């Protein structure tokens, strides 16, 4: 495990500065909107990486927490007409509750079983969303959420600030005693248990933390789109996030966030390629799997900064 | 009642065809193949191309489609999966990438609209007052035949014994002179072929469309978890359980609830018996 050094902090500040200033120099609402989505994906990817990257339990149903958070906002805005700001903490609470409900039975599973259990859980929620269409709006979803902040640029900065806080909190946690334990669980769970570590508690708590940030990201997304719909729960969302983390370098958290931003930008720039877009995306994934099994962003940053340590 | 019995049998047979190939490649090569649904979709599209575009008769088109997809599966295993076999997640990701690529290729070539494949058997057959499409009945019969053949192949032939040996301990099998890699290729061909055959057989009565592979894939997953990853008898039992419970739910409640049956079955199984009905406790 590596400690955070001055160069990491400087690099982080530089990246955040570029992200914060980009829409000021290229004043376009379109770019601001795209960047907002990029940054929200960054929150989702880094939150996935905290639980799955550290403990090695690949969660194929992260969209469950994202959808739970987003729908919480949706319900609060369209049914109870509460102040939109209340929906952020509410989304966090609901996502954490979901993570506890799903986590207890599934987290004792290993390898593919956990991945598949999470995948099914998110698919069940998506299906329920369609079955109870009278309450959830079915395929259409819920419309007419209030924006948190009317000015798109200010909203973008707010979301970026949330991402920065997310990454800092998660990286610090990952560097702490906690993160060390989570990595140890990844290495050998039985030995950890034998050493008297309450493995279940750490796994559930890390899933809950991961879910909390995912739910928060979901609520931010809902208030950006001003609507929520069932695709938020879909496996596609979970898988996109996993690809992002893979490209960023599993277990690095900051790499996951940066990869998420870059890949979301890439998909947006490839829009001109129309139908071939997903192919380029898939090809990128295949190349990275073959030639960069440790991912791209985090290993690259480590190599670049080696000399300054 | 008889209706449920017959339609349940048809769904169970199709599910079993899908699930057996999926569990076989996992049991033998430890490959959790997320591209299994893509094989199924490719089978259906190959049948469409050979019959509707090239005007081949069905009895030539169907085996051709199955062979083509089996070959595709072998190539995928050889060049994409094998180099990455060391990491479970990398295998998951690469097969996922293949399934995305196939889906997108189908979308680019054929568009997103539904395609029609002619029926092998156009007539309706009446069994005890229940009308059932001949094509569905054919799928049932073919499913049973495929499973029987596969069982005989594995239990009775030398190659089958080699496959069993590799599934129990690949390293020991290799020391005994069994060419493990070739066995992986053969098993992948069988797995992709049965998935394609399921696709070919259902294509006349289901919608042929680029994303058609996703749902059967999730089903195959569900069945294999309920039955036990790697256990063929387990998959067959689970196919029957899911096929029938879905049919019953469709009759008693509504078709929109059927999707939930398999997912809930997965969750219950994982909670009560994580290794599935007949699965051995694997050390992951």
């Amino acid at each position: 495990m590596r400690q955070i050094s001055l160069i990491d902090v400087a690099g982080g500040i530089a990246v955040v500065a570029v992200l914060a200033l980009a829409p000021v120099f290229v004043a376009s609402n379109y770019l601001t909107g795209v960047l907002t989505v990029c940054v929200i994906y960054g929150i989702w990817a880094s939150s996935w990486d905290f639980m799955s990257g550290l403990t090695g339990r690949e969660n194929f149903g992260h969209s469950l927490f994202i959808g739970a958070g987003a729908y919480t906002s949706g319900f609060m805005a369209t049914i109870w007409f509460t102040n939109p700001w209340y929906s952020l903490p509410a989304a966090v609470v609901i996502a954490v509750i979901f993570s506890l409900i799903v986590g207890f039975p599934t987290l004792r599973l290993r390898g593919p079983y956990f991945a598949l259990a999470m995948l099914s859980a998110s698919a069940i929620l998506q299906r329920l969303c369609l079955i109870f269409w009278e309450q959830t709006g079915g395929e259409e979803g819920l419309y007419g959420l209030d924006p948190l902040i009317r000015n798109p640029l200010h909203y973008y900065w707010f979301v970026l600030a949330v991402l920065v806080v997310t990454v800092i909190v998660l990286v610090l946690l990952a560097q702490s005693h906690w993160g060390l334990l989570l990595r140890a669980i990844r290495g050998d769970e039985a030995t950890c248990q034998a050493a008297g570590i309450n493995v279940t508690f750490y796994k559930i708590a890390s899933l809950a933390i991961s879910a909390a940030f995912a739910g928060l990201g979901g609520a931010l997304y809902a208030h950006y789109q001003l609507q929520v719909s069932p695709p938020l729960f879909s496996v596609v969302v979970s898988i996109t996030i996993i690809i992002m983390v893979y490209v960023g370098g599993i277990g690095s958290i900051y790499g996951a966030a940066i990869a998420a931003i870059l890949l979301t930008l890439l998909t947006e720039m490839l829009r001109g390629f129309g139908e071939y877009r997903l192919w380029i995306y898939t090809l990128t994934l295949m190349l990275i799997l073959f030639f960069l099994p440790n991912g791209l962003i985090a290993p690259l940053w480590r190599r670049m900064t080696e000399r300054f340590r | 009642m008889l209706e449920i019995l017959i339609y349940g049998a048809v769904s169970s047979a199709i599910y079993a065809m899908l699930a057996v190939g999926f569990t076989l490649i996992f049991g033998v090569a430890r490959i959790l193949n997320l591209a299994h649904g893509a094989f199924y979709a490719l089978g259906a599209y190959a049948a469409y191309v050979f019959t509707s575009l090239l005007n081949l008769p069905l009895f030539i088109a169907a085996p051709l489609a199955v062979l083509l997809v089996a070959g595709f599966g072998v190539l995928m295993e050889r060049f994409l999966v094998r180099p990455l076999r060391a990491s479970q997640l990398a295998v998951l990701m690469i097969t996922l990438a293949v399934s995305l690529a196939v889906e997108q290729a189908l979308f680019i070539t054929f568009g997103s609209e539904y395609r029609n494949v002619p029926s092998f058997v156009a007539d309706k057959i009446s069994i005890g007052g229940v009308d059932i499409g001949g094509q569905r009945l054919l799928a049932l019969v073919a499913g049973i035949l495929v499973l029987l053949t596969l069982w005989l192949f594995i239990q009775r032939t030398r190659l089958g014994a080699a496959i069993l040996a590799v599934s129990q301990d690949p390293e020991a099998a290799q020391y005994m002179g069994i060419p493990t890699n070739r066995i992986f290729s053969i098993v992948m061909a069988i797995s992709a072929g049965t998935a394609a055959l399921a696709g070919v057989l259902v294509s006349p009565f289901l919608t042929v469309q680029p994303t058609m592979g996703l749902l059967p894939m999730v089903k195959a997953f569900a069945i294999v978890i309920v039955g036990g990853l790697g256990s063929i008898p387990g998959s067959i039992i689970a196919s029957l359980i899911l096929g029938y419970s879905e049919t019953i739910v469709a009759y008693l409640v509504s078709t929109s609830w059927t999707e939930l049956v398999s997912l809930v079955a997965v969750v219950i199984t994982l909670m009560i018996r994580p290794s599935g009905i007949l699965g051995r406790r694997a050390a992951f």
Side-chain angles (χ1 to χ4, degrees), chain B residues 1 3-12 15 238-250 261:
Chain B
M1 189 59 209
E3 220 167 350
I4 293 179
L5 216 61
I6 296 171
Y7 277 91
V10 174
S11 335
S12 305
Y15 289 165
S239 302
L240 286 168
I241 295 175
L242 287 193
Y244 274 105
S245 21
E246 283 191 356
T247 316
I248 291 167
V249 167
V261 173

Side-chain angles (χ1 to χ4, degrees), chain A residues 153-205:
Chain A
L153 186 60
H154 293 173
Y155 190 56
Y156 167 65
W157 281 336
F158 172 67
V159 174
L160 183 63
V162 173
L163 173 69
V164 172
V165 172
T166 307
V167 171
I168 290 176
V169 169
L170 293 182
V171 166
L172 287 178
L173 269 176
Q175 297 279 344
S176 70
H177 185 64
W178 253 77
L180 188 68
L181 280 173
L182 293 180
R183 280 170 226 258
I185 291 172
R186 176 192 190 128
D188 189 342
E189 189 171 332
T191 310
C192 288
Q193 202 135 31
I197 296 164
N198 189 345
V199 173
T200 318
F201 168 77
Y202 280 99
K203 283 195 294 190
I204 301 252

Side-chain angles (χ1 to χ4, degrees), chain B residues 39-78:
Chain B
F39 294 154
Y40 166 89
L42 273 178
Y45 268 94
Y48 164 72
V49 170
F50 290 142
T51 53
S52 301
L53 301 183
L54 301 177
N55 284 319
L56 289 175
L58 268 168
F59 65 93
I60 299 179
L64 220 56
V66 171
L67 280 179
L68 192 81
V69 178
F72 176 77
V74 170
L75 289 179
M76 180 191 97
E77 194 275 328
R78 175 69 191 81

Side-chain angles (χ1 to χ4, degrees), chain A residues 17-239:
Chain A
V18 168
L19 280 173
L21 294 177
V24 179
F25 287 112
V26 194
S28 95
N29 276 339
Y30 167 71
L31 181 78
T32 314
V34 170
L35 282 174
T36 307
V37 176
C38 291
V39 167
I40 292 173
Y41 265 98
I43 298 172
W44 292 343
S46 47
S47 67
W48 186 91
D49 199 22
F50 178 70
M51 191 325 256
S52 299
L54 294 185
T55 62
R57 299 283 184 287
E58 283 98 20
N59 167 4
F60 272 64
H62 206 46
S63 59
L64 173 73
F65 309 132
I66 293 168
Y71 267 88
T72 307
S73 306
F75 285 134
M76 292 187 71
T78 57
I79 296 174
W80 297 301
F81 301 104
T82 49
N83 180 335
W85 286 99
Y86 293 160
S87 77
L88 293 187
V92 170
V93 171
I94 298 292
V96 169
I97 291 173
F98 269 94
S99 77
L100 297 178
I101 295 173
V102 188
F104 272 107
T106 57
L107 265 173
R108 62 203 174 87
L109 305 167
R110 289 155 169 258
Y113 291 100
F114 174 68
L116 299 179
M118 287 303 294
L119 191 143
S120 326
S122 69
I124 288 178
L125 219 59
Q126 185 178 17
R127 200 65 220 167
L128 285 174
C129 218
L130 292 172
I131 289 177
F132 294 104
W133 57 273
E134 280 164 347
Q135 284 78 35
T136 61
E139 300 263 8
E140 309 267 292
L142 301 167
Y143 277 92
L145 275 72
D146 291 319
L148 279 175
I149 298 169
R150 282 194 190 275
N151 183 331
L153 186 60
H154 293 173
Y155 190 56
Y156 167 65
W157 281 336
F158 172 67
V159 174
L160 183 63
V162 173
L163 173 69
V164 172
V165 172
T166 307
V167 171
I168 290 176
V169 169
L170 293 182
V171 166
L172 287 178
L173 269 176
Q175 297 279 344
S176 70
H177 185 64
W178 253 77
L180 188 68
L181 280 173
L182 293 180
R183 280 170 226 258
I185 291 172
R186 176 192 190 128
D188 189 342
E189 189 171 332
T191 310
C192 288
Q193 202 135 31
I197 296 164
N198 189 345
V199 173
T200 318
F201 168 77
Y202 280 99
K203 283 195 294 190
I204 301 252
S206 62
L207 185 68
I209 293 170
S210 167
F213 286 104
L216 181 62
L220 291 173
Y221 189 74
H223 283 290
Y224 163 72
Q225 293 275 328
L226 306 183
Q227 67 152 99
V228 289
S229 52
L232 272 170
F233 283 114
S234 74
V235 180
V236 180
V237 173
S238 305
I239 284 169

Side-chain angles (χ1 to χ4, degrees), chain B residues 162 165-166 169-182 184:
Chain B
V166 174
D169 190 338
E171 233 167 66
Q174 187 137 34
Y175 292 147
M176 296 297 154
I178 295 172
T180 323
N181 279 335
R182 206 184 307 156
F184 289 163

Side-chain angles (χ1 to χ4, degrees), chain B:
Chain B
M1 189 59 209
L2 192 63
E3 220 167 350
I4 293 179
L5 216 61
I6 296 171
Y7 277 91
V10 174
S11 335
S12 305
I14 296 165
Y15 289 165
M17 260 192 282
L18 276 166
V20 159
F22 187 76
T23 203
L24 195 65
I25 192 67
F26 181 81
V28 176
R30 298 272 134 185
I31 296 169
L32 203 54
N33 179 17
L34 292 179
H36 201 66
F39 294 154
Y40 166 89
L42 273 178
Y45 268 94
Y48 164 72
V49 170
F50 290 142
T51 53
S52 301
L53 301 183
L54 301 177
N55 284 319
L56 289 175
L58 268 168
F59 65 93
I60 299 179
L64 220 56
V66 171
L67 280 179
L68 192 81
V69 178
F72 176 77
V74 170
L75 289 179
M76 180 191 97
E77 194 275 328
R78 175 69 191 81
F79 293 106
L80 295 176
V81 176
R82 201 177 291 173
L84 298 174
R85 281 199 55 214
S87 153
Q88 182 98 42
L89 183 60
V91 170
L92 275 179
M93 300 298 277
I94 197 76
T95 53
L96 177 74
V98 170
S99 80
L100 289 176
V102 166
E103 193 183 309
Q104 205 59 16
L106 292 176
F107 178 70
I108 291 170
T109 336
F110 299 101
S112 59
E113 57 264 40
Y114 297 153
R115 302 285 166 176
N116 292 316
V117 176
S119 285
F120 291 73
V121 200
D123 309 322
K124 271 198 187 319
I125 295 159
S126 184
I127 304 171
V130 180
D131 278 339
I132 180 164
Q135 182 63 37
R136 283 177 200 265
L137 221 53
L138 179 70
L140 171 61
V141 173
I144 294 169
L145 282 180
V146 164
L147 295 177
L148 270 178
T149 320
L150 195 65
W151 187 76
L152 285 174
F153 168 70
I154 290 181
Q155 299 293 330
R156 295 272 186 272
T157 61
R158 265 178 77 82
L159 198 56
I163 291 176
L164 273 182
V166 174
S167 78
Q168 274 156 14
D169 190 338
E171 233 167 66
Q174 187 137 34
Y175 292 147
M176 296 297 154
I178 295 172
T180 323
N181 279 335
R182 206 184 307 156
I183 299 287
F184 289 163
S185 292
I186 292 166
V187 170
M188 190 47 120
I190 296 173
S191 168
T194 45
L197 182 63
V200 171
L201 287 169
V202 305
S203 56
F205 58 85
L206 288 183
T207 43
V208 176
Q209 187 243 355
T211 55
M212 68 184 283
L214 184 70
L215 208 61
M217 183 39 239
V218 175
K219 286 281 160 58
F221 249 147
I223 290 164
V224 162
I225 289 187
V226 172
L229 263 172
S231 161
I232 294 179
S235 316
I236 295 172
I237 294 172
S239 302
L240 286 168
I241 295 175
L242 287 193
Y244 274 105
S245 21
E246 283 191 356
T247 316
I248 291 167
V249 167
Y251 271 86
L252 297 184
V253 193
S254 109
T255 41
S256 60
W257 283 83
T258 51
E259 296 304 306
L260 274 182
V261 173
S262 52
L263 298 170
V264 171
V266 167
V267 173
I268 293 173
T269 311
L270 288 173
M271 271 157 52
I272 299 172
R273 197 177 150 79
S275 49
I277 298 174
L278 291 182
R280 278 162 297 170
R281 268 199 100 78
F284 281 110

